[in-house]
Coordinates of all heavy atoms in Angstrom, one line a residue:
M1 N 17.5 -4.5 -8.0 CA 17.1 -5.0 -9.3 C 17.4 -4.1 -10.4 O 17.1 -2.9 -10.3 CB 15.6 -5.2 -9.2 CG 14.9 -5.5 -10.5 SD 13.2 -5.8 -10.3 CE 12.9 -6.9 -11.6
D2 N 18.0 -4.6 -11.4 CA 18.4 -3.8 -12.6 C 17.2 -3.9 -13.6 O 17.0 -4.9 -14.2 CB 19.7 -4.3 -13.2 CG 20.1 -3.5 -14.4 OD1 19.4 -2.6 -14.8 OD2 21.1 -3.9 -15.0
L3 N 16.5 -2.8 -13.7 CA 15.3 -2.8 -14.5 C 15.6 -2.9 -16.0 O 14.7 -3.2 -16.8 CB 14.4 -1.6 -14.3 CG 13.8 -1.5 -12.9 CD1 13.1 -0.2 -12.7 CD2 12.9 -2.7 -12.6
Q4 N 16.9 -2.7 -16.4 CA 17.2 -2.8 -17.8 C 17.5 -4.2 -18.3 O 17.6 -4.5 -19.5 CB 18.5 -1.9 -18.1 CG 18.2 -0.5 -17.8 CD 17.1 0.1 -18.6 OE1 16.9 -0.1 -19.8 NE2 16.2 0.8 -17.9
T5 N 17.5 -5.2 -17.3 CA 17.8 -6.6 -17.7 C 16.4 -7.2 -18.1 O 15.4 -6.8 -17.6 CB 18.4 -7.4 -16.6 OG1 17.6 -7.4 -15.4 CG2 19.8 -6.8 -16.3
V6 N 16.5 -8.2 -18.9 CA 15.4 -9.0 -19.3 C 15.1 -10.0 -18.1 O 15.9 -10.5 -17.4 CB 15.7 -9.8 -20.6 CG1 14.7 -10.9 -20.9 CG2 15.9 -8.9 -21.7
L7 N 13.8 -10.2 -17.9 CA 13.3 -11.1 -16.9 C 12.8 -12.4 -17.5 O 12.1 -12.4 -18.6 CB 12.2 -10.5 -16.0 CG 12.7 -9.3 -15.2 CD1 11.5 -8.6 -14.5 CD2 13.7 -9.7 -14.2
Q8 N 13.1 -13.5 -16.9 CA 12.7 -14.8 -17.4 C 12.1 -15.6 -16.2 O 12.6 -15.5 -15.1 CB 14.0 -15.5 -17.9 CG 13.8 -16.9 -18.5 CD 15.1 -17.4 -19.0 OE1 16.0 -17.6 -18.2 NE2 15.2 -17.6 -20.3
K9 N 11.1 -16.4 -16.5 CA 10.6 -17.3 -15.5 C 11.6 -18.4 -15.1 O 12.3 -18.9 -16.0 CB 9.3 -18.0 -16.0 CG 8.1 -17.2 -16.2 CD 6.9 -18.0 -16.8 CE 5.9 -17.2 -17.4 NZ 6.2 -16.6 -18.7
T10 N 11.6 -18.8 -13.9 CA 12.4 -19.9 -13.4 C 11.5 -21.1 -13.5 O 10.3 -21.0 -13.8 CB 12.8 -19.7 -12.0 OG1 11.7 -19.6 -11.1 CG2 13.7 -18.4 -11.8
E11 N 12.1 -22.3 -13.2 CA 11.3 -23.5 -13.1 C 10.1 -23.3 -12.1 O 9.0 -23.8 -12.3 CB 12.1 -24.7 -12.7 CG 12.8 -25.4 -13.8 CD 13.5 -26.7 -13.3 OE1 12.8 -27.5 -12.6 OE2 14.6 -26.9 -13.7
K12 N 10.4 -22.7 -11.0 CA 9.4 -22.4 -9.9 C 8.3 -21.6 -10.5 O 7.1 -21.8 -10.2 CB 10.1 -21.7 -8.7 CG 9.1 -21.4 -7.6 CD 9.8 -20.8 -6.4 CE 8.9 -20.4 -5.3 NZ 9.6 -19.8 -4.2
G13 N 8.6 -20.6 -11.3 CA 7.6 -19.7 -11.9 C 6.8 -20.5 -12.9 O 5.5 -20.3 -12.9
V14 N 7.4 -21.3 -13.7 CA 6.6 -22.1 -14.7 C 5.7 -23.0 -14.0 O 4.5 -23.2 -14.3 CB 7.6 -22.9 -15.6 CG1 6.8 -23.9 -16.5 CG2 8.4 -21.9 -16.5
E15 N 6.2 -23.6 -12.9 CA 5.4 -24.6 -12.1 C 4.2 -23.9 -11.5 O 3.1 -24.4 -11.4 CB 6.3 -25.3 -11.1 CG 5.6 -26.4 -10.4 CD 5.3 -27.6 -11.3 OE1 5.9 -27.8 -12.3 OE2 4.3 -28.3 -10.9
E16 N 4.4 -22.6 -11.0 CA 3.3 -21.9 -10.3 C 2.2 -21.6 -11.3 O 1.0 -21.7 -11.0 CB 3.9 -20.6 -9.7 CG 2.8 -19.6 -9.2 CD 1.9 -20.2 -8.1 OE1 2.3 -21.2 -7.5 OE2 0.9 -19.6 -7.9
I17 N 2.6 -21.3 -12.6 CA 1.6 -21.0 -13.6 C 0.7 -22.3 -13.8 O -0.5 -22.2 -14.0 CB 2.2 -20.5 -14.9 CG1 2.7 -19.1 -14.6 CG2 1.2 -20.5 -16.0 CD1 3.6 -18.5 -15.7
K18 N 1.4 -23.4 -13.9 CA 0.7 -24.7 -14.1 C -0.2 -25.1 -13.0 O -1.3 -25.6 -13.2 CB 1.7 -25.8 -14.4 CG 2.4 -25.7 -15.7 CD 3.4 -26.8 -15.9 CE 4.3 -26.7 -17.1 NZ 5.3 -27.7 -17.2
T19 N 0.3 -25.0 -11.7 CA -0.3 -25.7 -10.6 C -0.9 -24.8 -9.5 O -1.7 -25.2 -8.7 CB 0.7 -26.5 -9.9 OG1 1.7 -25.7 -9.3 CG2 1.4 -27.6 -10.8
H20 N -0.6 -23.5 -9.5 CA -1.0 -22.6 -8.5 C -0.5 -23.0 -7.1 O -1.1 -22.7 -6.1 CB -2.5 -22.4 -8.4 CG -3.1 -21.9 -9.6 ND1 -3.6 -20.6 -9.7 CD2 -3.4 -22.5 -10.8 CE1 -4.1 -20.4 -10.9 NE2 -4.0 -21.5 -11.6
A21 N 0.5 -23.9 -7.0 CA 1.0 -24.5 -5.8 C 1.4 -23.4 -4.7 O 1.3 -23.7 -3.5 CB 2.1 -25.4 -6.1
Q22 N 2.0 -22.3 -5.2 CA 2.5 -21.3 -4.2 C 1.4 -20.3 -3.8 O 1.6 -19.5 -2.9 CB 3.7 -20.6 -4.8 CG 4.8 -21.4 -5.2 CD 5.5 -22.1 -4.0 OE1 5.7 -21.4 -2.9 NE2 5.9 -23.3 -4.1
G23 N 0.3 -20.3 -4.5 CA -0.8 -19.5 -4.2 C -0.6 -18.0 -4.4 O -1.0 -17.2 -3.5
L24 N 0.1 -17.6 -5.4 CA 0.4 -16.2 -5.7 C -1.0 -15.5 -5.8 O -1.9 -16.0 -6.4 CB 1.2 -16.0 -7.0 CG 2.7 -16.2 -6.9 CD1 3.3 -16.0 -8.3 CD2 3.3 -15.3 -5.9
E25 N -1.0 -14.3 -5.3 CA -2.2 -13.4 -5.5 C -2.4 -13.1 -7.0 O -1.4 -13.1 -7.7 CB -2.1 -12.2 -4.7 CG -0.9 -11.3 -5.0 CD -0.6 -10.3 -3.9 OE1 -0.3 -10.6 -2.8 OE2 -0.8 -9.1 -4.2
P26 N -3.6 -12.9 -7.4 CA -3.9 -12.7 -8.9 C -3.0 -11.7 -9.6 O -2.6 -12.0 -10.7 CB -5.4 -12.3 -8.9 CG -5.9 -12.9 -7.6 CD -4.8 -12.9 -6.6
R27 N -2.8 -10.5 -9.0 CA -2.0 -9.5 -9.7 C -0.5 -10.0 -9.9 O 0.0 -9.8 -11.0 CB -1.9 -8.2 -8.9 CG -3.3 -7.5 -9.0 CD -3.3 -6.2 -8.2 NE -2.0 -5.7 -7.8 CZ -1.8 -4.4 -7.5 NH1 -2.8 -3.6 -7.4 NH2 -0.6 -4.0 -7.2
L28 N 0.0 -10.7 -8.9 CA 1.4 -11.2 -9.1 C 1.4 -12.3 -10.1 O 2.3 -12.4 -10.9 CB 1.9 -11.8 -7.7 CG 2.5 -10.7 -6.8 CD1 2.8 -11.4 -5.4 CD2 3.7 -10.0 -7.3
R29 N 0.4 -13.2 -10.1 CA 0.3 -14.3 -11.0 C 0.2 -13.7 -12.5 O 0.9 -14.3 -13.4 CB -0.8 -15.2 -10.7 CG -0.8 -16.5 -11.5 CD -1.9 -17.4 -10.9 NE -1.7 -18.7 -11.5 CZ -2.0 -19.0 -12.8 NH1 -2.6 -18.1 -13.5 NH2 -1.8 -20.2 -13.3
T30 N -0.6 -12.7 -12.7 CA -0.8 -12.1 -14.0 C 0.6 -11.6 -14.5 O 1.0 -11.8 -15.6 CB -1.8 -11.0 -14.0 OG1 -3.1 -11.6 -13.6 CG2 -2.0 -10.3 -15.3
L31 N 1.3 -10.9 -13.6 CA 2.6 -10.3 -14.0 C 3.5 -11.4 -14.3 O 4.3 -11.4 -15.3 CB 3.1 -9.5 -12.8 CG 4.4 -8.7 -13.1 CD1 4.3 -7.8 -14.3 CD2 4.7 -7.8 -11.8
L32 N 3.5 -12.5 -13.5 CA 4.4 -13.7 -13.8 C 4.1 -14.3 -15.2 O 5.0 -14.6 -15.9 CB 4.2 -14.7 -12.7 CG 5.0 -16.0 -12.9 CD1 6.5 -15.7 -12.9 CD2 4.7 -17.0 -11.7
I33 N 2.9 -14.3 -15.5 CA 2.5 -14.9 -16.8 C 3.1 -14.2 -18.0 O 3.5 -14.7 -19.0 CB 0.9 -15.0 -16.9 CG1 0.4 -16.1 -16.0 CG2 0.5 -15.3 -18.4 CD1 -1.1 -16.1 -15.8
V34 N 3.1 -12.8 -17.9 CA 3.6 -12.0 -19.0 C 5.2 -12.0 -19.1 O 5.7 -11.5 -20.1 CB 3.0 -10.6 -19.1 CG1 1.5 -10.7 -19.2 CG2 3.4 -9.8 -17.9
V35 N 5.8 -12.4 -18.0 CA 7.3 -12.5 -18.1 C 7.6 -13.5 -19.2 O 7.2 -14.7 -19.0 CB 7.9 -12.8 -16.7 CG1 9.4 -13.1 -16.9 CG2 7.7 -11.7 -15.7
N36 N 8.4 -13.1 -20.2 CA 8.6 -14.0 -21.4 C 10.0 -14.2 -21.7 O 10.3 -14.8 -22.8 CB 7.8 -13.4 -22.6 CG 8.3 -12.0 -23.0 OD1 9.3 -11.6 -22.5 ND2 7.5 -11.4 -23.8
G37 N 11.0 -13.7 -21.0 CA 12.4 -13.9 -21.3 C 12.9 -13.0 -22.4 O 14.0 -13.1 -22.9
K38 N 12.0 -12.0 -22.8 CA 12.4 -11.1 -23.8 C 12.2 -9.6 -23.4 O 12.7 -8.7 -24.0 CB 11.6 -11.3 -25.1 CG 11.8 -12.7 -25.7 CD 10.8 -12.9 -26.9 CE 10.9 -14.3 -27.4 NZ 10.0 -14.5 -28.5
T39 N 11.4 -9.4 -22.3 CA 11.0 -8.1 -21.9 C 11.8 -7.7 -20.7 O 12.0 -8.5 -19.7 CB 9.5 -8.1 -21.6 OG1 8.8 -8.7 -22.7 CG2 9.0 -6.7 -21.4
T40 N 12.2 -6.4 -20.7 CA 12.9 -5.9 -19.5 C 12.0 -5.5 -18.4 O 10.8 -5.3 -18.6 CB 13.8 -4.6 -19.9 OG1 12.9 -3.6 -20.3 CG2 14.7 -4.9 -21.0
G41 N 12.5 -5.3 -17.2 CA 11.7 -4.8 -16.1 C 11.1 -3.5 -16.4 O 9.9 -3.2 -16.1
T42 N 11.8 -2.6 -17.1 CA 11.3 -1.3 -17.4 C 10.1 -1.4 -18.4 O 9.1 -0.7 -18.2 CB 12.4 -0.4 -18.2 OG1 13.5 -0.3 -17.3 CG2 11.9 0.9 -18.6
D43 N 10.2 -2.3 -19.3 CA 9.1 -2.5 -20.3 C 7.8 -3.0 -19.5 O 6.7 -2.7 -19.8 CB 9.5 -3.4 -21.4 CG 10.5 -2.7 -22.3 OD1 10.5 -1.5 -22.4 OD2 11.3 -3.5 -23.0
L44 N 8.1 -4.0 -18.6 CA 6.9 -4.5 -17.9 C 6.3 -3.5 -17.0 O 5.1 -3.4 -16.9 CB 7.4 -5.7 -17.0 CG 7.8 -7.0 -17.7 CD1 8.5 -7.9 -16.8 CD2 6.6 -7.6 -18.3
I45 N 7.1 -2.6 -16.4 CA 6.5 -1.5 -15.6 C 5.7 -0.6 -16.5 O 4.6 -0.2 -16.1 CB 7.7 -0.7 -14.9 CG1 8.2 -1.6 -13.8 CG2 7.1 0.6 -14.4 CD1 9.5 -1.0 -13.1
K46 N 6.1 -0.3 -17.7 CA 5.4 0.6 -18.6 C 4.1 -0.1 -19.0 O 3.0 0.5 -19.1 CB 6.2 0.9 -19.9 CG 7.3 1.9 -19.6 CD 8.1 2.1 -20.9 CE 9.3 3.0 -20.6 NZ 10.2 3.1 -21.7
Q47 N 4.1 -1.4 -19.3 CA 2.9 -2.2 -19.7 C 1.9 -2.2 -18.6 O 0.7 -2.2 -18.8 CB 3.3 -3.7 -19.9 CG 3.8 -3.9 -21.3 CD 4.0 -5.4 -21.5 OE1 4.7 -6.1 -20.7 NE2 3.5 -6.0 -22.5
F48 N 2.3 -2.2 -17.3 CA 1.4 -2.4 -16.2 C 1.2 -1.1 -15.4 O 0.7 -1.2 -14.3 CB 1.8 -3.5 -15.3 CG 1.5 -4.9 -15.8 CD1 2.4 -5.5 -16.8 CD2 0.4 -5.5 -15.5 CE1 2.1 -6.7 -17.3 CE2 0.1 -6.8 -16.0 CZ 0.9 -7.4 -16.9
E49 N 1.6 0.0 -15.9 CA 1.6 1.3 -15.1 C 0.2 1.6 -14.6 O 0.1 2.2 -13.5 CB 2.3 2.4 -15.9 CG 1.5 2.9 -17.1 CD 2.3 3.9 -17.9 OE1 3.3 4.4 -17.4 OE2 1.9 4.1 -19.1
R50 N -0.8 1.3 -15.3 CA -2.2 1.6 -14.8 C -2.6 0.8 -13.6 O -3.5 1.1 -12.9 CB -3.2 1.4 -15.9 CG -3.4 0.0 -16.4 CD -4.4 -0.1 -17.5 NE -4.5 -1.5 -17.7 CZ -4.1 -2.2 -18.8 NH1 -3.6 -1.7 -19.6 NH2 -4.2 -3.4 -18.9
V51 N -1.8 -0.3 -13.3 CA -2.1 -1.2 -12.2 C -1.6 -0.5 -10.9 O -2.1 -0.8 -9.8 CB -1.5 -2.6 -12.4 CG1 -1.6 -3.4 -11.1 CG2 -2.1 -3.3 -13.6
G52 N -0.6 0.3 -11.1 CA 0.0 0.9 -9.9 C 1.5 0.7 -9.9 O 2.1 0.5 -11.0
N53 N 2.1 0.7 -8.8 CA 3.6 0.5 -8.6 C 4.0 -1.0 -8.8 O 3.8 -1.8 -7.9 CB 4.1 1.1 -7.3 CG 5.6 1.2 -7.2 OD1 6.3 0.8 -8.2 ND2 6.1 1.7 -6.1
V54 N 4.5 -1.3 -10.0 CA 4.8 -2.7 -10.3 C 6.2 -3.1 -9.9 O 6.4 -4.3 -9.6 CB 4.6 -2.9 -11.9 CG1 5.0 -4.2 -12.3 CG2 3.2 -2.5 -12.3
R55 N 7.1 -2.1 -9.7 CA 8.4 -2.5 -9.3 C 8.5 -3.4 -8.0 O 9.2 -4.4 -8.0 CB 9.3 -1.3 -9.1 CG 10.7 -1.6 -8.8 CD 11.6 -0.4 -8.6 NE 13.0 -0.9 -8.3 CZ 14.0 -0.4 -8.8 NH1 14.0 0.7 -9.6 NH2 15.2 -0.9 -8.5
P56 N 7.8 -3.1 -6.9 CA 7.8 -4.0 -5.8 C 7.3 -5.4 -6.1 O 7.7 -6.4 -5.6 CB 6.9 -3.3 -4.8 CG 6.7 -1.9 -5.2 CD 7.0 -1.9 -6.7
M57 N 6.3 -5.5 -7.0 CA 5.8 -6.8 -7.4 C 6.9 -7.6 -8.2 O 7.1 -8.8 -7.9 CB 4.6 -6.6 -8.3 CG 3.4 -6.0 -7.6 SD 2.0 -5.5 -8.6 CE 1.6 -6.9 -9.5
L58 N 7.6 -6.9 -9.1 CA 8.7 -7.6 -9.8 C 9.8 -8.0 -8.8 O 10.3 -9.1 -8.9 CB 9.3 -6.7 -10.9 CG 8.4 -6.4 -12.1 CD1 9.0 -5.3 -13.0 CD2 8.2 -7.7 -12.9
E59 N 10.1 -7.1 -7.9 CA 11.1 -7.4 -6.9 C 10.7 -8.7 -6.0 O 11.6 -9.5 -5.7 CB 11.4 -6.2 -6.0 CG 12.2 -5.1 -6.8 CD 12.3 -3.8 -6.0 OE1 11.7 -3.6 -5.0 OE2 13.2 -3.0 -6.5
R60 N 9.5 -8.8 -5.7 CA 9.0 -9.9 -4.9 C 9.1 -11.2 -5.7 O 9.6 -12.2 -5.2 CB 7.5 -9.7 -4.5 CG 7.0 -10.8 -3.7 CD 5.7 -10.5 -3.1 NE 5.1 -11.8 -2.6 CZ 3.8 -11.9 -2.3 NH1 3.0 -10.9 -2.5 NH2 3.3 -13.1 -1.9
L61 N 8.7 -11.1 -7.0 CA 8.8 -12.3 -7.9 C 10.3 -12.8 -8.0 O 10.6 -14.0 -8.0 CB 8.2 -12.1 -9.3 CG 6.7 -11.9 -9.4 CD1 6.3 -11.5 -10.8 CD2 6.0 -13.2 -8.9
L62 N 11.2 -11.8 -8.1 CA 12.6 -12.1 -8.2 C 13.1 -12.7 -6.8 O 13.8 -13.7 -6.8 CB 13.4 -10.8 -8.5 CG 14.9 -10.9 -8.7 CD1 15.2 -11.8 -9.9 CD2 15.5 -9.6 -8.9
A63 N 12.8 -12.0 -5.7 CA 13.2 -12.5 -4.4 C 12.7 -13.8 -4.0 O 13.4 -14.6 -3.4 CB 12.8 -11.4 -3.3
E64 N 11.5 -14.2 -4.5 CA 10.9 -15.5 -4.1 C 11.3 -16.6 -5.2 O 10.8 -17.7 -5.0 CB 9.4 -15.3 -4.0 CG 9.1 -14.5 -2.7 CD 7.6 -14.3 -2.5 OE1 6.8 -15.1 -3.0 OE2 7.2 -13.5 -1.7
G65 N 12.1 -16.2 -6.2 CA 12.6 -17.2 -7.1 C 11.6 -17.6 -8.2 O 11.8 -18.6 -8.9
F66 N 10.6 -16.8 -8.5 CA 9.7 -17.1 -9.6 C 10.3 -16.6 -11.0 O 9.9 -17.1 -12.0 CB 8.3 -16.4 -9.4 CG 7.6 -17.0 -8.3 CD1 7.5 -16.4 -7.0 CD2 7.0 -18.2 -8.4 CE1 6.8 -16.9 -6.0 CE2 6.3 -18.8 -7.3 CZ 6.2 -18.1 -6.1
V67 N 11.1 -15.5 -10.9 CA 11.8 -15.0 -12.1 C 13.3 -14.8 -11.8 O 13.7 -14.8 -10.6 CB 11.2 -13.7 -12.6 CG1 9.7 -13.9 -12.9 CG2 11.3 -12.6 -11.6
R68 N 14.0 -14.7 -12.9 CA 15.4 -14.3 -12.7 C 15.8 -13.3 -13.8 O 15.1 -13.2 -14.8 CB 16.3 -15.6 -12.9 CG 16.3 -16.2 -14.2 CD 17.3 -17.3 -14.3 NE 16.9 -18.1 -15.5 CZ 16.5 -19.4 -15.5 NH1 16.4 -20.0 -14.4 NH2 16.2 -20.0 -16.6
Q69 N 16.9 -12.6 -13.5 CA 17.4 -11.6 -14.4 C 18.3 -12.3 -15.4 O 19.2 -13.1 -15.0 CB 18.1 -10.5 -13.7 CG 17.2 -9.7 -12.8 CD 17.9 -8.6 -12.1 OE1 19.0 -8.7 -11.6 NE2 17.3 -7.4 -12.0
V70 N 18.2 -12.0 -16.7 CA 19.0 -12.7 -17.7 C 20.1 -11.7 -18.1 O 19.7 -10.5 -18.5 CB 18.1 -13.1 -18.9 CG1 19.0 -13.7 -20.0 CG2 17.0 -14.0 -18.5
P71 N 21.3 -12.0 -18.1 CA 22.4 -11.1 -18.5 C 22.2 -10.8 -20.0 O 21.7 -11.6 -20.8 CB 23.7 -11.9 -18.3 CG 23.3 -13.1 -17.4 CD 21.8 -13.3 -17.6
A72 N 22.6 -9.6 -20.3 CA 22.5 -9.1 -21.7 C 23.4 -10.0 -22.6 O 24.5 -10.4 -22.2 CB 22.9 -7.7 -21.8
A73 N 22.9 -10.3 -23.8 CA 23.7 -11.1 -24.7 C 24.9 -10.3 -25.1 O 24.9 -9.1 -25.3 CB 22.8 -11.5 -25.9
A74 N 26.0 -11.1 -25.3 CA 27.3 -10.4 -25.7 C 27.1 -10.0 -27.2 O 26.5 -10.7 -28.0 CB 28.4 -11.4 -25.6
S75 N 27.6 -8.8 -27.4 CA 27.5 -8.2 -28.8 C 28.6 -8.7 -29.7 O 29.6 -9.0 -29.3 CB 27.6 -6.7 -28.7 OG 26.6 -6.2 -27.9

């Protein structure tokens, strides 16, 4: 996972927020909610550093298809 890329919810992620269909645990769900398509993995880790090690949580959301990495916009 490239922590410098922006993370964005996928359709599956948006659906999970609406329906709880996948039954994500509360900490993962909270992290998913704040993924906004504008914030990098590094920034999310800084925001949630008091929660503990957030990187594995982000990697899980990515691996399970709740979020995706957005390529940097061309300059």
Side-chain angles (χ1 to χ4, degrees):
M1 168 178 211
D2 179 0
L3 294 175
Q4 298 304 313
T5 60
V6 170
L7 295 174
Q8 181 180 62
K9 289 178 199 77
T10 61
E11 273 188 48
K12 181 179 179 179
V14 171
E15 190 65 23
E16 172 60 15
I17 290 170
K18 290 179 187 175
T19 66
H20 299 259
Q22 301 293 319
L24 280 180
E25 59 195 68
R27 288 178 18 160
L28 280 173
R29 190 169 190 286
T30 299
L31 187 56
L32 177 60
I33 288 169
V34 299
V35 170
N36 61 12
K38 299 175 185 176
T39 308
T40 66
T42 300
D43 292 335
L44 289 167
I45 288 171
K46 287 178 186 174
Q47 275 183 310
F48 283 83
E49 64 189 348
R50 67 179 184 253
V51 174
N53 191 358
V54 176
R55 184 179 181 140
M57 294 168 57
L58 289 173
E59 289 173 346
R60 180 172 166 196
L61 290 173
L62 183 63
E64 293 183 15
F66 293 103
V67 300
R68 66 176 164 243
Q69 295 178 322
V70 179
S75 301

